[in-house]
Short mmCIF file of all heavy atoms in Angstrom, two decimals:
data_model
loop_
_atom_site.label_atom_id
_atom_site.label_comp_id
_atom_site.label_asym_id
_atom_site.label_seq_id
_atom_site.Cartn_x
_atom_site.Cartn_y
_atom_site.Cartn_z
N ALA A 138 6.47 -0.49 -16.91
CA ALA A 138 5.76 -1.53 -17.65
C ALA A 138 6.46 -2.88 -17.50
O ALA A 138 5.83 -3.92 -17.36
CB ALA A 138 5.66 -1.15 -19.13
N ALA A 139 7.80 -2.86 -17.49
CA ALA A 139 8.55 -4.11 -17.37
C ALA A 139 8.29 -4.77 -16.03
O ALA A 139 8.11 -5.97 -15.92
CB ALA A 139 10.04 -3.84 -17.54
N ALA A 140 8.29 -3.95 -14.95
CA ALA A 140 8.08 -4.50 -13.61
C ALA A 140 6.66 -5.01 -13.43
O ALA A 140 6.40 -5.89 -12.61
CB ALA A 140 8.39 -3.44 -12.55
N GLU A 141 5.71 -4.47 -14.17
CA GLU A 141 4.32 -4.85 -14.03
C GLU A 141 3.90 -5.84 -15.12
O GLU A 141 2.73 -5.89 -15.51
CB GLU A 141 3.43 -3.60 -14.10
CG GLU A 141 3.63 -2.64 -12.93
CD GLU A 141 3.09 -3.18 -11.63
OE1 GLU A 141 2.19 -4.05 -11.68
OE2 GLU A 141 3.55 -2.74 -10.56
N GLY A 142 4.84 -6.61 -15.62
CA GLY A 142 4.50 -7.63 -16.61
C GLY A 142 4.09 -7.06 -17.95
O GLY A 142 3.27 -7.64 -18.66
N GLY A 143 4.65 -5.90 -18.31
CA GLY A 143 4.35 -5.30 -19.59
C GLY A 143 3.17 -4.34 -19.57
O GLY A 143 2.87 -3.69 -20.56
N LYS A 144 2.48 -4.25 -18.44
CA LYS A 144 1.34 -3.35 -18.33
C LYS A 144 1.80 -1.96 -17.91
O LYS A 144 2.59 -1.81 -16.99
CB LYS A 144 0.34 -3.88 -17.30
CG LYS A 144 -0.27 -5.23 -17.66
CD LYS A 144 -1.23 -5.69 -16.57
CE LYS A 144 -1.84 -7.04 -16.91
NZ LYS A 144 -2.76 -7.52 -15.84
N VAL A 145 1.30 -0.96 -18.58
CA VAL A 145 1.61 0.41 -18.23
C VAL A 145 0.70 0.83 -17.07
O VAL A 145 -0.51 0.72 -17.17
CB VAL A 145 1.43 1.36 -19.42
CG1 VAL A 145 1.70 2.79 -19.00
CG2 VAL A 145 2.36 0.95 -20.56
N VAL A 146 1.30 1.29 -15.98
CA VAL A 146 0.54 1.64 -14.79
C VAL A 146 0.36 3.15 -14.72
O VAL A 146 1.31 3.91 -14.88
CB VAL A 146 1.26 1.14 -13.52
CG1 VAL A 146 0.50 1.56 -12.26
CG2 VAL A 146 1.40 -0.37 -13.56
N ASP A 147 -0.87 3.58 -14.50
CA ASP A 147 -1.18 5.00 -14.35
C ASP A 147 -0.88 5.37 -12.90
O ASP A 147 -1.72 5.20 -12.01
CB ASP A 147 -2.65 5.23 -14.68
CG ASP A 147 -3.01 6.70 -14.73
OD1 ASP A 147 -2.32 7.51 -14.06
OD2 ASP A 147 -4.01 7.05 -15.40
N THR A 148 0.32 5.88 -12.65
CA THR A 148 0.73 6.16 -11.27
C THR A 148 -0.10 7.28 -10.64
O THR A 148 -0.35 7.26 -9.43
CB THR A 148 2.21 6.53 -11.22
OG1 THR A 148 2.46 7.63 -12.11
CG2 THR A 148 3.07 5.35 -11.64
N ALA A 149 -0.52 8.26 -11.44
CA ALA A 149 -1.34 9.34 -10.89
C ALA A 149 -2.69 8.80 -10.41
O ALA A 149 -3.18 9.15 -9.33
CB ALA A 149 -1.54 10.42 -11.94
N LEU A 150 -3.30 7.93 -11.23
CA LEU A 150 -4.58 7.32 -10.85
C LEU A 150 -4.40 6.42 -9.62
O LEU A 150 -5.24 6.38 -8.73
CB LEU A 150 -5.13 6.52 -12.02
CG LEU A 150 -6.52 5.90 -11.83
CD1 LEU A 150 -7.57 6.97 -11.54
CD2 LEU A 150 -6.92 5.08 -13.06
N LEU A 151 -3.27 5.72 -9.59
CA LEU A 151 -2.98 4.84 -8.46
C LEU A 151 -2.86 5.64 -7.17
O LEU A 151 -3.41 5.26 -6.12
CB LEU A 151 -1.68 4.08 -8.74
CG LEU A 151 -1.41 2.82 -7.93
CD1 LEU A 151 -2.45 1.75 -8.26
CD2 LEU A 151 -0.02 2.30 -8.24
N ASP A 152 -2.17 6.76 -7.22
CA ASP A 152 -2.02 7.61 -6.04
C ASP A 152 -3.36 8.20 -5.59
O ASP A 152 -3.64 8.30 -4.39
CB ASP A 152 -1.02 8.74 -6.32
CG ASP A 152 0.41 8.23 -6.42
OD1 ASP A 152 0.68 7.12 -5.92
OD2 ASP A 152 1.25 8.94 -7.01
N ARG A 153 -4.20 8.58 -6.55
CA ARG A 153 -5.53 9.10 -6.19
C ARG A 153 -6.35 8.01 -5.51
O ARG A 153 -7.07 8.27 -4.54
CB ARG A 153 -6.27 9.61 -7.43
CG ARG A 153 -5.73 10.90 -7.99
CD ARG A 153 -6.77 11.64 -8.83
NE ARG A 153 -7.29 10.84 -9.92
CZ ARG A 153 -6.75 10.79 -11.13
NH1 ARG A 153 -5.65 11.49 -11.39
NH2 ARG A 153 -7.29 10.06 -12.09
N GLY A 154 -6.23 6.79 -6.02
CA GLY A 154 -6.98 5.68 -5.43
C GLY A 154 -6.56 5.41 -4.00
O GLY A 154 -7.40 5.13 -3.13
N LYS A 155 -5.26 5.49 -3.73
CA LYS A 155 -4.76 5.30 -2.36
C LYS A 155 -5.32 6.37 -1.44
O LYS A 155 -5.70 6.10 -0.29
CB LYS A 155 -3.23 5.34 -2.36
CG LYS A 155 -2.60 5.23 -0.97
CD LYS A 155 -1.09 5.23 -1.07
CE LYS A 155 -0.43 5.18 0.30
NZ LYS A 155 -0.60 6.44 1.04
N LYS A 156 -5.39 7.61 -1.92
CA LYS A 156 -5.94 8.69 -1.11
C LYS A 156 -7.42 8.46 -0.80
O LYS A 156 -7.88 8.74 0.31
CB LYS A 156 -5.75 10.03 -1.83
CG LYS A 156 -4.29 10.48 -1.90
CD LYS A 156 -4.14 11.79 -2.66
CE LYS A 156 -2.68 12.20 -2.74
NZ LYS A 156 -2.51 13.45 -3.54
N VAL A 157 -8.16 7.93 -1.78
CA VAL A 157 -9.58 7.62 -1.53
C VAL A 157 -9.70 6.47 -0.53
O VAL A 157 -10.55 6.48 0.35
CB VAL A 157 -10.30 7.25 -2.85
CG1 VAL A 157 -11.75 6.86 -2.58
CG2 VAL A 157 -10.25 8.41 -3.83
N PHE A 158 -8.83 5.48 -0.64
CA PHE A 158 -8.81 4.35 0.29
C PHE A 158 -8.64 4.85 1.72
O PHE A 158 -9.25 4.31 2.66
CB PHE A 158 -7.66 3.41 -0.09
CG PHE A 158 -7.64 2.11 0.66
CD1 PHE A 158 -8.56 1.11 0.36
CD2 PHE A 158 -6.71 1.87 1.64
CE1 PHE A 158 -8.56 -0.10 1.05
CE2 PHE A 158 -6.68 0.67 2.33
CZ PHE A 158 -7.61 -0.32 2.03
N GLU A 159 -7.86 5.92 1.88
CA GLU A 159 -7.66 6.50 3.21
C GLU A 159 -8.81 7.44 3.59
O GLU A 159 -9.36 7.33 4.69
CB GLU A 159 -6.34 7.25 3.25
CG GLU A 159 -5.11 6.37 3.06
CD GLU A 159 -3.82 7.16 3.06
OE1 GLU A 159 -3.30 7.42 4.15
OE2 GLU A 159 -3.34 7.52 1.96
N SER A 160 -9.17 8.36 2.69
CA SER A 160 -10.17 9.37 3.04
C SER A 160 -11.56 8.79 3.24
O SER A 160 -12.34 9.29 4.06
CB SER A 160 -10.22 10.45 1.95
OG SER A 160 -10.67 9.92 0.72
N ALA A 161 -11.89 7.72 2.52
CA ALA A 161 -13.19 7.06 2.70
C ALA A 161 -13.15 6.09 3.89
O ALA A 161 -14.13 5.41 4.17
CB ALA A 161 -13.58 6.31 1.43
N ASN A 162 -12.01 6.04 4.56
CA ASN A 162 -11.78 5.22 5.74
C ASN A 162 -11.97 3.72 5.48
O ASN A 162 -12.43 2.99 6.35
CB ASN A 162 -12.66 5.66 6.92
CG ASN A 162 -12.09 5.20 8.25
OD1 ASN A 162 -10.87 5.09 8.41
ND2 ASN A 162 -12.95 4.92 9.21
N CYS A 163 -11.59 3.28 4.29
CA CYS A 163 -11.58 1.85 4.04
C CYS A 163 -10.60 1.15 4.98
O CYS A 163 -10.81 -0.01 5.36
CB CYS A 163 -11.16 1.57 2.59
SG CYS A 163 -12.20 2.37 1.35
N ILE A 164 -9.54 1.89 5.38
CA ILE A 164 -8.54 1.30 6.25
C ILE A 164 -9.08 1.07 7.66
O ILE A 164 -8.49 0.32 8.43
CB ILE A 164 -7.26 2.16 6.32
CG1 ILE A 164 -7.57 3.55 6.87
CG2 ILE A 164 -6.62 2.27 4.95
CD1 ILE A 164 -6.33 4.42 7.05
N GLY A 165 -10.21 1.70 7.99
CA GLY A 165 -10.77 1.52 9.32
C GLY A 165 -11.17 0.08 9.59
O GLY A 165 -11.04 -0.41 10.71
N CYS A 166 -11.66 -0.61 8.57
CA CYS A 166 -12.07 -2.01 8.73
C CYS A 166 -11.16 -2.97 7.98
O CYS A 166 -10.83 -4.03 8.48
CB CYS A 166 -13.51 -2.19 8.23
SG CYS A 166 -14.75 -1.37 9.25
N HIS A 167 -10.79 -2.60 6.77
CA HIS A 167 -9.97 -3.50 5.95
C HIS A 167 -8.48 -3.34 6.22
O HIS A 167 -7.68 -4.11 5.69
CB HIS A 167 -10.26 -3.26 4.47
CG HIS A 167 -11.66 -3.63 4.07
ND1 HIS A 167 -12.08 -4.93 3.94
CD2 HIS A 167 -12.73 -2.85 3.78
CE1 HIS A 167 -13.35 -4.96 3.59
NE2 HIS A 167 -13.77 -3.71 3.49
N LYS A 168 -8.10 -2.34 7.02
CA LYS A 168 -6.72 -2.05 7.39
C LYS A 168 -5.95 -1.53 6.17
O LYS A 168 -6.39 -1.64 5.05
CB LYS A 168 -6.02 -3.28 7.99
CG LYS A 168 -6.79 -3.88 9.16
CD LYS A 168 -6.98 -2.88 10.29
CE LYS A 168 -7.65 -3.48 11.51
NZ LYS A 168 -9.07 -3.78 11.29
N TRP A 169 -4.78 -0.98 6.43
CA TRP A 169 -4.01 -0.37 5.34
C TRP A 169 -3.66 -1.38 4.27
O TRP A 169 -3.57 -1.06 3.08
CB TRP A 169 -2.72 0.28 5.88
CG TRP A 169 -1.68 -0.69 6.34
CD1 TRP A 169 -1.49 -1.17 7.60
CD2 TRP A 169 -0.69 -1.35 5.52
NE1 TRP A 169 -0.45 -2.07 7.64
CE2 TRP A 169 0.06 -2.20 6.38
CE3 TRP A 169 -0.37 -1.30 4.17
CZ2 TRP A 169 1.11 -2.99 5.92
CZ3 TRP A 169 0.67 -2.09 3.70
CH2 TRP A 169 1.41 -2.92 4.57
N HIS A 170 -3.46 -2.65 4.68
CA HIS A 170 -3.01 -3.68 3.74
C HIS A 170 -4.16 -4.40 3.07
O HIS A 170 -3.96 -5.19 2.15
CB HIS A 170 -2.14 -4.70 4.47
CG HIS A 170 -2.65 -5.08 5.83
ND1 HIS A 170 -3.85 -5.73 6.02
CD2 HIS A 170 -2.13 -4.86 7.07
CE1 HIS A 170 -4.03 -5.92 7.32
NE2 HIS A 170 -3.00 -5.39 7.98
N GLY A 171 -5.41 -4.16 3.51
CA GLY A 171 -6.56 -4.79 2.87
C GLY A 171 -6.86 -6.19 3.35
O GLY A 171 -7.78 -6.84 2.84
N SER A 172 -6.13 -6.67 4.34
CA SER A 172 -6.35 -8.04 4.82
C SER A 172 -7.54 -8.16 5.75
O SER A 172 -7.95 -9.27 6.10
CB SER A 172 -5.09 -8.57 5.53
OG SER A 172 -4.04 -8.73 4.61
N GLY A 173 -8.09 -7.04 6.17
CA GLY A 173 -9.28 -7.07 7.02
C GLY A 173 -8.96 -7.41 8.46
O GLY A 173 -7.88 -7.16 8.97
N GLY A 174 -9.96 -7.99 9.12
CA GLY A 174 -9.83 -8.25 10.55
C GLY A 174 -10.79 -7.36 11.31
O GLY A 174 -11.64 -6.69 10.72
#
Side-chain angles (χ1 to χ4, degrees):
E141 295 289 337
K144 297 179 181 179
V145 177
V146 177
D147 188 334
T148 55
L150 184 59
L151 199 65
D152 289 340
R153 288 203 303 271
K155 177 178 178 289
K156 290 178 181 177
V157 177
F158 189 73
E159 296 178 85
S160 65
N162 202 31
C163 303
I164 61 176
C166 292
H167 295 286
K168 306 301 184 289
W169 71 267
H170 42 64
S172 292

